[in-house]
Amino acid sequence: MNLNKHLGALLVLAAILSAEAAAQQLPANVLAAWDHDEHPDLRSILVMRNGAIVAERYYNGETADTLHDVRSAGKSITALLVGAAVDQHKIGAPADKVSQYWKAAGQSAFAGVTLDNVLTMRSGLDAFDDDPASSGNEDKMDEAADPVAFTLATPMKTTPGTQYRYNSMTAYLAGLTVEHATGTDLEQFARANLFAPLGIQDWRWGRDAAGHVKGQGNLSLRTRDLGAIGQMVLDQGLYQGRRVLSAAWIEAMLAPHVDIGPGDRYADRYGYFWYAKTQSVGGRQIPVYFASGNGGNKIYIVPALRSVVVVTSSAYGKGYGQLRSENILKAVLAASE
């Protein structure tokens, strides 16, 4: 091929790629609709399709470099770290008891609790974040001088594996189990086995009074880095051609382990610290998997559309935050013909 023909072929290819990229872009008004939201606590929206950013917008002072606290969406990151420990054979399987990896747990009320029980919020512990009287309520755990001792002293309420009760203690337990199984601080384990492979270089993760990373949340990340996590999950553990987690773990993590629809207006099913809901948009039924945090912080995974939608929000403790994020998702889905 002579030089002119070679250049001509490259120009044709560039035009094709440019046309494809343009076709993926969302109409500008889809995200602009939230420019004047009545609540000034929306922070960012990011939409990815086929691994490329097709829409990105920041609000109320947030920028692409802002580290944002996604609250309980951090639980979903902990689930990924459990998967990394399983992939490395540091943890055998979710059916294993927590006490196999954390000896002190064997002397506690949850000696017979499995990781599967923990990851699906069915530990049986008297821990329920919506009930201030619960022995293991999140606020009580956060206020404890020694959160580890507090957790070990929490009594059982129901038979493990039988009842879903949303609580932060179980995610804290999951993080501690990874630390004991790997012999590594949870944040350092995340750095080596999740953040570095995804190119994530900047984050902030809260620690408790005992010095342990909060596997239950308080992880701050950039919006684009949340998108990278979502893309890896969408691609079944691959990121830019590199294997980060096994496809088997991603499948098990997103599987519908518990039906929570009757008690949760925003989700139908619960997996391993990840939610699922089938959204009805324009006559289509679209399955969506997502990480979720207080205030409306979300990483939405939409396999049928090869899409990831990230929403960050500071509407902590305000119910409209969750509704707004779901409305943003529905708007993006409606525009994704």
Side-chain angles (χ1 to χ4, degrees):
M1 180 182 290
N2 63 40
L3 181 58
N4 286 336
K5 288 184 177 179
H6 184 60
L7 289 174
L10 287 177
L11 289 172
V12 170
L13 177 61
I16 292 172
L17 292 175
S18 177
E20 289 179 347
Q24 290 193 100
Q25 297 297 316
L26 285 180
N29 65 337
V30 174
L31 302 192
W34 279 273
D35 283 355
H36 304 291
D37 187 80
E38 63 178 315
H39 303 291
D41 45 21
L42 178 62
R43 299 305 178 191
S44 70
I45 306 172
L46 175 76
V47 183
M48 301 176 68
R49 191 174 299 155
N50 294 317
I53 295 174
V54 298
E56 183 177 23
R57 208 169 185 91
Y58 294 90
Y59 307 84
N60 299 304
E62 188 132 322
T63 71
D65 292 324
T66 303
L67 290 174
H68 183 82
D69 185 351
V70 294
R71 299 295 173 93
S72 285
K75 292 177 172 66
S76 302
I77 309 307
T78 298
L80 295 173
L81 298 178
V82 173
V86 170
D87 286 346
Q88 295 173 21
H89 307 293
K90 300 296 179 70
I91 292 175
D96 290 351
K97 294 178 181 178
V98 170
S99 58
Q100 289 179 234
Y101 306 98
W102 184 15
K103 290 185 178 180
Q107 307 303 314
S108 71
F110 54 90
V113 172
T114 67
L115 265 171
D116 178 85
N117 298 150
V118 168
L119 292 166
T120 57
M121 299 283 184
R122 298 179 297 174
S123 67
L125 286 167
D126 184 19
F128 187 23
D129 288 351
D130 288 342
D131 180 7
S134 167
S135 299
N137 177 271
E138 179 182 21
D139 292 338
K140 294 178 181 178
M141 183 173 69
D142 286 342
E143 294 166 1
D146 186 343
V148 175
F150 178 87
T151 299
L152 289 169
T154 300
M156 298 299 287
K157 180 75 170 181
T158 60
T159 302
T162 63
Q163 193 171 30
Y164 170 88
R165 281 289 181 269
Y166 184 86
N167 67 94
S168 290
M169 180 173 285
T170 49
Y172 182 60
L173 268 172
L176 290 175
T177 303
V178 171
E179 289 192 340
H180 284 280
T182 63
T184 308
D185 175 84
L186 189 65
E187 185 172 8
Q188 298 308 312
F189 188 73
R191 180 196 301 271
N193 297 285
L194 184 64
F195 296 158
L198 296 179
I200 298 173
Q201 300 179 341
D202 194 15
W203 67 88
R204 184 172 59 250
W205 206 341
R207 291 177 179 265
D208 64 17
H212 293 280
V213 164
K214 293 185 174 183
Q216 67 269 36
N218 294 121
L219 172 61
S220 298
L221 289 164
R222 299 188 316 149
T223 298
R224 290 181 184 177
D225 291 335
L226 293 166
I229 291 169
Q231 188 65 42
M232 185 271 293
V233 173
L234 176 64
D235 287 337
Q236 298 182 305
L238 287 172
Y239 185 70
Q240 297 182 347
R242 176 180 177 178
R243 176 63 63 189
V244 179
L245 292 173
S246 69
W249 180 258
I250 299 298
E251 181 179 359
M253 182 182 75
L254 299 182
H257 295 281
V258 190
D259 178 9
I260 63 172
D264 191 327
R265 64 174 294 187
Y266 297 110
D268 299 327
R269 300 168 301 281
Y270 197 66
Y272 290 160
F273 296 157
W274 282 75
Y275 298 85
K277 183 177 179 64
T278 298
Q279 294 286 351
S280 180
V281 179
R284 295 174 297 167
Q285 300 299 306
I286 305 174
V288 179
Y289 303 92
F290 59 102
S292 179
N294 189 338
N297 292 286
K298 308 285 182 179
I299 307 174
Y300 291 111
I301 314 296
V302 192
L305 300 177
R306 297 287 306 147
S307 297
V308 173
V309 180
V310 174
V311 182
T312 64
S313 165
S314 297
Y316 303 126
K318 300 170 183 176
Y320 64 77
Q322 303 292 351
L323 178 60
R324 180 176 61 196
S325 293
E326 186 175 68
N327 287 339
I328 290 169
L329 170 68
K330 288 180 176 179
V332 171
L333 296 180
S336 302
E337 295 293 341

